[in-house]
Amino acid sequence: MYHPIFLASLNFLDLLDSDIKIDVLVIEGALTHKKSSLSRHNKGLDEILDKLLPRVKHIVCVGSCASYGGVFKAYDPQSITGAIFDGENRGGFWKYTFKSNGDAKVINIPGCPAHPAWIVQTLLDLRVNPKPKLDSLHRPKEHYAYLAHHGCTRNEYFEWKVDCLGFGQKEGCLFYEQGCQGPMSHASCNRILWNETSSKTRIGSPCLGCTEPTFPKENLYHTQKFMSLPAVPVGISKRAYYTLAGVAKGFKIERLEKRLLDED
């Protein structure tokens, strides 16, 4: 094993010049072909990865920057990208490198930051399962088949269209007014929680959709609306959603319309 801050049997240059097979290459941070931007020991990123790539079984891109370009791509969208995705589109750093489905060795673990459990469990799974099930964005389905919306403690408010009008409140849904991306973001944050304790939505902060290739969006805390109606959650037809939303909005659920902590 080699890591810049861990003691290892080989140093960086020895590893590059060796013919040692590599089970997993973990990449963090956005990628660019600009020679002056990323270098180590006077070797550019292209040269480093070209030497390692033929010996690698799996490439694990940790974080949204390595996966899609992330916040750094927003700074320089023409030059900065993810490994095999340039934002939402295929054709990242290795646009011309992989042939015959060679990009199948790439596994993306997006998130800003990525949940530690996603990283550790993916690495452990690769020891026994060299072909994990991946979605169309090369994310492990074990962790990204779900939405951040699943397990959210505010789901009843979401169903009855009861809005949360301010951050930090325990009542109300953050989707309709606060820009929450939970219904559109593939992540298990509300199922496994952070530090096994909490999540953004549980403390009254909207999900920012950091596991999606569209992150970061402008106006993160603003809910985009069409004809006064918010965007449709993943997997629901527009007609069905707006019909149900209209019906639910017509009800007034007294229990959900007040701050529960203020009750005598």
Side-chain angles (χ1 to χ4, degrees), residues 84-227:
I84 58 173
F85 285 96
D86 184 15
E88 299 178 82
N89 304 312
R90 278 187 177 270
F93 184 83
W94 283 308
K95 182 177 182 178
Y96 303 109
T97 301
F98 288 122
K99 298 178 181 179
S100 302
N101 201 34
D103 61 358
K105 67 169 64 179
V106 177
I107 300 172
N108 287 328
I109 308 180
C112 193
H115 196 296
W118 304 338
I119 303 169
V120 173
Q121 289 178 18
T122 297
L123 294 177
L124 290 175
D125 288 345
L126 287 175
R127 296 184 62 185
V128 295
N129 180 20
K131 294 184 178 181
K133 293 183 178 179
L134 306 176
D135 66 12
S136 61
L137 292 172
H138 284 240
R139 300 174 296 195
K141 288 187 176 181
E142 177 71 22
H143 308 295
Y144 295 92
Y146 309 93
L147 299 177
H149 184 64
H150 297 154
C152 179
T153 54
R154 299 171 185 268
N155 279 349
E156 188 177 18
Y157 295 105
F158 173 82
E159 293 165 3
W160 292 105
K161 311 300 177 276
V162 177
D163 303 337
C164 177
L165 301 179
F167 297 149
Q169 297 181 8
K170 295 186 178 295
E171 292 83 18
C173 179
L174 296 153
F175 175 65
Y176 303 104
E177 299 294 340
Q178 311 301 331
C180 184
Q181 295 294 301
M184 292 90 156
S185 301
H186 295 82
S188 56
C189 301
N190 274 309
R191 298 177 69 249
I192 61 177
L193 305 180
W194 287 78
N195 293 329
E196 301 181 353
T197 301
S198 192
S199 69
K200 279 186 175 294
T201 57
R202 293 197 180 197
I203 63 169
S205 177
C207 167
L208 301 181
C210 70
T211 59
E212 298 300 317
T214 53
F215 175 82
K217 294 182 177 180
E218 294 183 2
N219 301 319
L220 284 174
Y221 297 103
H222 172 74
T223 299
Q224 184 178 5
K225 296 182 180 179
F226 308 93
M227 301 292 289

Side-chain angles (χ1 to χ4, degrees), residues 58-86:
H58 301 284
I59 301 168
V60 176
C61 296
V62 174
S64 293
C65 290
S67 299
Y68 316 123
V71 296
F72 292 99
K73 178 175 175 58
Y75 166 73
D76 186 358
Q78 300 303 317
S79 302
I80 295 178
T81 181
I84 58 173
F85 285 96
D86 184 15

